[in-house]
Amino acid sequence: LLFFVLISQELLVLDEADRLLDLGFEKTLTTILQYLPRQRRTGLFSATQTKELGQLVRAGMRNPVLIAVQEKNKKSVGTKTNETEVSTPMTLENYYTICEPEDKLATLIGFLKSQGNHQKYMLFFSTCACVDYFATVLKELISDLQIFGIHGKMKDKRYKVFNSFRKATSGVLICTDVMARGVDIPEVHWVIQYDPPSSAASFVHRCGRTARIGNHGSALVMLLPTEDAYVDFIYRNQKVRLTELRVPSPAANVTSRVRSLQLKDRAVMDKALRAFVSHIQAYAKHECNVILRLKDLNFGKLAMGFGLLKLPKMPELRGKDVSDFKEADVDFNSITYKDSQREQVRQSKLKVYKETGVWPKSQQAAKRPSCKQTEPWALSKQRKLEKKDKRDKRKAKKKQQLEAGVPKRKRKKCISQEDIDELAKDIALIKKLKKKKVRMTTAASLAFIMKLKSL
């Protein structure tokens, strides 16, 4: 019955088509297409539609026609009227603000308080670790707003959080790009992007969570002074025009309050370190790494903006100037977990560390095979190139010898002293057999003959 239903289909619709046509969905999409009739109409829908012919052909489209829904932004200049096409609705106001890295969190809190606690906000971060950390921090720093946290690693729990935020009349949903597509949340007043997204297309999808179905909405992206070129880039790449927004002054004593939270609970300190490391790693892999360069970041000020008590040990910080970071004057081993069970495990490990000088591994880490020590990418690449050059030289030398008619050299077998001694014993045994000094059974004789043949 299902076969006859599928074979009679006349229309195929793929929403968020630019993602469905990625290689990750190739097998699934191919399976679906082979059950559908070839004579059909296919519609691909997305805010950032693909125009590559190869991807359109994979979707089974022939003679494709592009239908673009764009709004024209009319601006009067003197007596003339200029029309510029934009990819976001006219009811959406796109803003940007530039703030120092150490004041970024304080600026965000000052902005949320100035807008009031009666609105709904979506706050986007680049990594799951950042969502976990900043959700914990903002719950303590902003008491009059309900804070929700959601990311892709939460599995079933994220559906409960999503439904709770949908039903709420106000609040802040802190999330990753898992919420940038395919969700409809009513009456979102502000979309705030704490970091520029990993891809330019995601910028449009993030902004699209507000100003839906004719409603008005606003979007704000928070940039560092070194990221100001992103404003022009996003207009050229995605036709999104950003206007600078004068935000209120940063909230006071934010860094000291965040540090005090970490001193009360070691779990918050662990989250802070993981968030900082994941942010740096995500920034290094940014799609727009030509204008958003890792080497332009002030790591010391950025760490202060995260409210870290100390800097983590990571390769990206080697040789970097971190003089702007002020480490907390505290014994880090004295910071305890609020969870008594976790604290008990930590105390037992700390005791072993004080006795042996080596921090004991967890059971999971002990089971893992020891990893090879990492080396810089440049050195590994150089070593591979050297091996390739040696192989090419050997091949060229062999080719020259063959062309010159030089016969191949046979490799001499290396005979060890043990083999020589064993051979001497066999010769002595043969001599005794000839003189009939020893006798051998049929099986032993056969085994001895086979051994001689193998030699």
Side-chain angles (χ1 to χ4, degrees):
L1 179 62
L2 179 62
F3 173 76
F4 289 111
V5 170
L6 289 173
I7 209 167
S8 63
Q9 293 295 313
E10 297 180 358
L11 181 63
L12 171 66
V13 177
L14 300 178
D15 195 16
E16 304 293 352
D18 56 330
R19 290 297 300 274
L20 288 176
L21 293 175
D22 286 345
L23 291 177
F25 296 97
E26 183 179 11
K27 188 176 179 181
T28 306
L29 192 61
T30 304
T31 306
I32 294 170
L33 291 176
Q34 68 185 9
Y35 283 104
L36 298 176
R38 291 187 178 182
Q39 295 295 328
R40 66 174 186 275
R41 288 177 293 170
T42 305
L44 310 182
F45 295 86
S46 179
T48 51
Q49 189 56 272
T50 180
K51 296 179 183 177
E52 295 181 16
L53 184 61
Q55 289 191 324
L56 296 174
V57 169
R58 272 182 32 219
M61 297 187 77
R62 293 174 290 180
N63 305 319
V65 177
L66 177 66
I67 301 173
V69 180
Q70 293 179 329
E71 299 213 24
K72 291 184 178 179
N73 186 13
K74 294 184 179 181
K75 287 191 176 183
S76 298
V77 181
T79 56
K80 296 181 180 180
T81 301
N82 290 344
E83 291 188 352
T84 57
E85 291 182 346
V86 292
S87 58
T88 54
M90 294 300 297
T91 55
L92 172 62
E93 297 177 353
N94 288 291
Y95 300 103
Y96 76 94
T97 186
I98 293 177
C99 50
E100 293 295 330
E102 69 271 26
D103 296 328
K104 204 170 185 180
L105 180 58
T107 303
L108 171 67
I109 293 171
F111 174 76
L112 291 174
K113 287 184 176 180
S114 68
Q115 293 297 317
N117 58 1
H118 60 282
Q119 300 192 55
K120 291 178 82 169
Y121 307 86
M122 288 186 71
L123 178 58
F124 283 94
F125 284 91
S126 54
T127 66
C128 300
C130 286
V131 170
D132 285 335
Y133 171 59
F134 284 100
T136 303
V137 167
L138 289 177
K139 282 177 183 177
E140 298 293 332
L141 299 181
I142 306 175
S143 57
D144 55 350
L145 262 175
Q146 198 172 0
I147 306 296
F148 304 86
I150 189 169
H151 56 73
K153 293 181 180 178
M154 293 174 71
K155 296 183 180 178
D156 295 337
K157 185 182 175 183
R158 68 184 183 190
Y159 298 109
K160 295 179 182 178
V161 176
F162 174 71
N163 290 328
S164 299
F165 182 69
R166 274 182 61 92
K167 293 174 184 177
T169 55
S170 63
V172 182
L173 178 64
I174 303 173
C175 55
T176 57
D177 282 336
V178 72
M179 298 296 291
R181 290 170 176 256
V183 294
D184 180 34
I185 301 174
E187 297 179 1
V188 174
H189 301 92
W190 278 92
V191 168
I192 305 170
Q193 305 187 54
Y194 198 81
D195 315 299
S198 58
S199 66
S202 296
F203 186 94
V204 177
H205 288 284
R206 284 181 174 185
C207 295
R209 298 312 96 202
T210 184
R212 299 176 69 82
I213 322 174
N215 293 321
H216 288 269
S218 304
L220 172 67
V221 58
M222 303 178 72
L223 302 174
L224 303 178
T226 57
E227 299 170 343
D228 56 346
Y230 190 79
V231 177
D232 183 58
F233 164 79
I234 204 67
Y235 174 69
R236 293 174 182 272
N237 191 280
Q238 294 294 324
K239 298 297 181 185
V240 178
R241 190 179 293 279
L242 301 178
T243 306
E244 187 172 7
L245 180 67
R246 299 291 179 185
V247 295
S249 57
N253 302 324
V254 170
T255 303
S256 60
R257 292 173 66 188
V258 171
R259 284 185 163 186
S260 67
L261 289 173
Q262 297 178 54
L263 292 171
K264 292 176 184 176
D265 187 1
R266 193 180 188 88
V268 182
M269 186 182 79
D270 293 344
K271 285 182 180 181
L273 292 171
R274 281 196 295 269
F276 181 78
V277 171
S278 67
H279 173 76
I280 297 298
Q281 291 174 345
Y283 202 93
K285 299 173 184 176
H286 207 287
E287 186 187 75
C288 312
N289 55 13
V290 176
I291 56 175
L292 305 179
R293 298 181 297 183
L294 189 66
K295 66 179 183 179
D296 292 338
L297 290 178
N298 187 322
F299 293 97
K301 289 184 177 180
L302 189 65
M304 290 298 293
F306 273 72
L308 300 187
L309 296 174
K310 63 176 182 177
L311 286 173
K313 293 180 180 179
M314 55 190 300
E316 288 83 359
L317 296 182
R318 288 176 191 163
K320 299 293 189 300
D321 180 20
V322 291
S323 57
D324 292 316
F325 179 74
K326 296 177 183 177
E327 188 172 295
D329 186 15
V330 64
D331 180 14
F332 296 107
N333 287 330
S334 65
I335 303 173
T336 60
Y337 288 107
K338 275 189 176 180
D339 186 349
S340 57
Q341 190 174 358
R342 289 186 70 182
E343 179 58 23
Q344 189 177 355
V345 173
R346 190 186 76 88
Q347 287 295 340
S348 62
K349 289 183 177 181
L350 185 61
K351 186 179 179 181
V352 175
Y353 172 73
K354 287 178 179 179
E355 292 173 355
T356 62
V358 179
W359 191 266
K361 294 181 179 179
S362 62
Q363 292 181 355
Q364 291 180 349
K367 289 178 182 178
R368 292 178 199 148
S370 57
C371 298
K372 199 176 174 183
Q373 191 174 5
T374 57
E375 62 177 353
W377 174 80
L379 289 178
S380 63
K381 187 179 180 182
Q382 184 182 356
R383 195 177 69 254
K384 287 177 182 178
L385 289 172
E386 287 174 357
K387 286 182 179 179
K388 188 175 180 297
D389 289 340
K390 286 180 182 178
R391 286 197 300 269
D392 293 341
K393 285 178 182 178
R394 284 199 298 267
K395 286 179 181 179
K397 189 176 179 181
K398 284 181 182 179
K399 192 175 181 182
Q400 288 177 0
Q401 289 176 350
L402 287 171
E403 290 175 353
V406 179
K408 289 184 179 180
R409 291 183 181 180
K410 292 184 177 179
R411 290 185 181 179
K412 293 181 180 179
K413 290 184 178 180
C414 296
I415 302 173
S416 63
Q417 185 63 39
E418 187 180 349
D419 294 334
I420 294 171
D421 294 342
E422 191 174 351
L423 185 61
K425 287 180 183 178
D426 292 337
I427 291 169
L429 184 60
I430 290 170
K431 287 179 180 179
K432 287 180 181 180
L433 283 169
K434 281 184 177 181
K435 292 178 181 180
K436 297 182 180 180
K437 290 183 178 181
V438 291
R439 290 183 180 182
M440 295 179 70
T441 61
T442 307
S445 302
L446 186 61
F448 184 68
I449 293 167
M450 292 297 290
K451 183 180 179 181
L452 290 176
K453 283 185 177 180
S454 66
L455 293 172

